[in-house]
Amino acid sequence: MKLSDVVAFLGHQVHVCRYREAGTLLDWMGRDLRGRRVLDVAGGDGYWAGLTRRRGAEAVSIDLARKKMVYGAALAHAPALIECDALRLPFADDSFDAILSVCAIEHFDDGGRSLDEMARVLKPGGQIFMSADVLSRADAWPKLRDAHKAKYHVQHTYTHESLGKLLDERGLDLVRHSYQFRTAAAERLYLSLSTYGGKVGFNAAAPLAPLVALGDRGAPNERGSIVLLQARKR
């Protein structure tokens, strides 16, 4: 394994939420992706798209962060990396069998337009696997909320209902959803880590991930910090 792959593994998978978040979406997508074309929207260095390539997919990752993409090109299972705007995808209609998007839509000025593009390039019967910031209880901690949004350029937040409505308007049916960081304590932890620890804090807090997962299993699947969705194009 190359040093770049070790660093990418530590950055993406040794993390209090990303491993479980993206890992769940990939589990929903399936282990055998041979013959399928997968697009990761705002995929950064393409790490998660690279995991779909390892499962047999023809994987493409798009982003505007050139520095991340240059780094990602050195990964052992690098997907095709294309620098472009998620609101103007340079692909033909019905080009992909599946779309992955890990906590990206909340950063777009126009989330609806990004979904327009995802729906356009997705084949009929194809599926979207995505996550988004919800921050269900963030109003209880306004300073943490505002600091998180400013630090990570969060333009909008979504629930499974609001995203489900946007997807339905674009010809996609919600298949399932799951919230993470469901309890009040876990939500406050998420906001505190983002505000005071940032990326390093999220990585350092990785040992807490099993406790957060355990708390989620015991809480209703109706709110949290992050929502995961699977939807199918009609």
Side-chain angles (χ1 to χ4, degrees):
M1 182 180 289
K2 297 188 295 184
L3 178 61
S4 57
D5 290 285
V6 173
V7 173
F9 176 88
L10 293 174
H12 290 282
Q13 301 219 32
V14 182
H15 195 286
V16 73
C17 62
R18 284 291 182 262
Y19 171 74
R20 191 162 63 103
E21 176 186 358
T24 298
L25 295 175
L26 290 174
D27 285 346
W28 289 355
M29 193 179 292
R31 290 289 174 182
D32 186 357
L33 300 176
R34 287 174 294 181
R36 300 179 68 188
R37 196 165 186 232
V38 176
L39 173 67
D40 188 356
V41 175
D45 61 11
Y47 178 82
W48 299 113
L51 294 190
T52 72
R53 186 184 172 203
R54 289 183 64 182
R55 298 179 184 186
E58 179 187 344
V60 180
S61 178
I62 68 102
D63 207 289
L64 287 173
R66 181 175 298 182
K67 186 175 180 180
K68 290 182 179 180
M69 297 172 75
V70 169
Y71 179 82
L75 299 179
H77 297 281
L81 293 154
I82 298 176
E83 184 181 354
C84 69
D85 190 342
L87 305 187
R88 291 184 292 275
L89 296 175
F91 307 112
D93 296 356
D94 306 335
S95 296
F96 292 92
D97 300 286
I99 292 176
L100 175 68
S101 184
V102 181
C103 263
I105 190 172
E106 66 265 29
H107 305 296
F108 301 145
D109 291 334
D110 191 340
R113 186 172 172 186
S114 72
L115 290 175
D116 286 339
E117 283 293 275
M118 292 186 215
R120 180 182 66 78
V121 303
L122 189 65
K123 295 178 181 178
Q127 298 186 80
I128 290 178
F129 304 86
M130 69 185 302
S131 58
D133 263 5
V134 185
L135 310 180
S136 298
R137 302 177 179 87
D139 289 347
W141 311 292
K143 290 184 179 180
L144 293 178
R145 175 201 63 205
D146 294 344
H148 172 83
K149 287 187 173 183
K151 192 171 187 177
Y152 292 97
H153 310 290
V154 174
Q155 305 297 316
H156 308 280
T157 57
Y158 300 90
T159 65
H160 76 280
E161 291 99 339
S162 62
L163 270 177
K165 183 175 184 296
L166 290 172
L167 290 164
D168 178 64
E169 292 169 351
R170 289 155 179 83
L172 292 117
D173 296 317
L174 187 62
V175 174
R176 57 180 157 181
H177 74 276
S178 180
Y179 284 93
Q180 295 187 350
F181 293 82
R182 296 178 187 175
T183 68
E187 281 214 69
R188 185 160 192 172
L189 171 68
Y190 179 82
L191 287 170
S192 297
L193 286 171
S194 72
T195 299
Y196 299 115
K199 183 177 181 181
V200 174
F202 279 129
N203 295 133
L208 298 176
L211 293 176
V212 174
L214 182 63
D216 284 353
R217 284 197 291 271
N221 186 28
E222 58 188 25
R223 59 180 175 175
S225 294
I226 300 169
V227 66
L228 285 62
L229 296 167
Q230 177 182 353
R232 181 179 290 110
K233 185 175 178 179
R234 293 192 284 269

